[in-house]
Structure formats: structure tokens, C-alpha cells
Amino acid sequence: MDHIFLLVAWVGFMLQWITAVLLAYKHIQSSIDIHKKGDLNLINESNTKLSEGRKLFRDFGEQVNTLAKEHDVEMNKK
């Protein structure tokens, strides 16, 4: 039963990671528009998306580490 819980949690974490990747991609797209247009509103929007993406990546890492500790799983960083 623990394995099913871990699998479901992992899928949820992966969806969060995909959301963070998409936000980072939108930031790159916005950056291209900023250089083309020089619009300060686009700069602010792009920075907001970047901050949101970074937070999602941090949250993802923290949640994975918490889940690993709860289930006595050792995470190896390479």
C-alpha cells in the first residue's frame, strides 16, 4: 500500500514540476518579446512568471525530500 501512495505522490510532484517548466518557458518567451518591444509591463510580467517558476521548483524539491524522509527513502544527488 505504501508503494501506491508513493506513486500517487510522485505523479502529483511531477505535475507540479511540469507546471514549473512551463512557467520557465513562458518566461523565455516573454524575454524575447521584451527585447523586441522594450515594454516595462512585459518585463514585470516576465519577472513574476520567473519567480513563480522558481518557487514551484523549490516547493517540488522540498516535497520530494519530505516524502522521502517520511518513508525512509534515501535521495542521492548526482
Side-chain angles (χ1 to χ4, degrees):
M1 189 60 135
D2 245 7
H3 291 92
I4 293 172
F5 172 77
L6 288 172
L7 179 62
V8 170
W10 185 252
V11 169
F13 292 150
M14 291 308 297
L15 290 174
Q16 184 178 6
W17 182 82
I18 290 168
T19 301
V21 169
L22 291 173
L23 279 172
Y25 177 72
K26 286 181 183 180
H27 168 70
I28 292 168
Q29 287 180 320
S30 294
S31 295
I32 292 169
D33 287 340
I34 289 168
H35 288 291
K36 289 180 182 177
K37 299 176 184 176
D39 186 341
L40 288 177
N41 289 327
L42 287 175
I43 292 170
N44 291 332
E45 181 182 325
S46 178
N47 286 337
T48 298
K49 288 178 185 174
L50 179 62
S51 294
E52 290 171 358
R54 286 179 177 162
K55 183 181 181 321
L56 286 173
F57 280 121
R58 279 192 308 273
D59 291 348
F60 171 78
E62 289 171 4
Q63 290 173 356
V64 168
N65 289 333
T66 298
L67 185 64
K69 286 178 185 176
E70 288 174 359
H71 295 275
D72 296 322
V73 175
E74 185 176 327
M75 302 294 289
N76 295 322
K77 295 181 182 181
K78 293 186 178 188

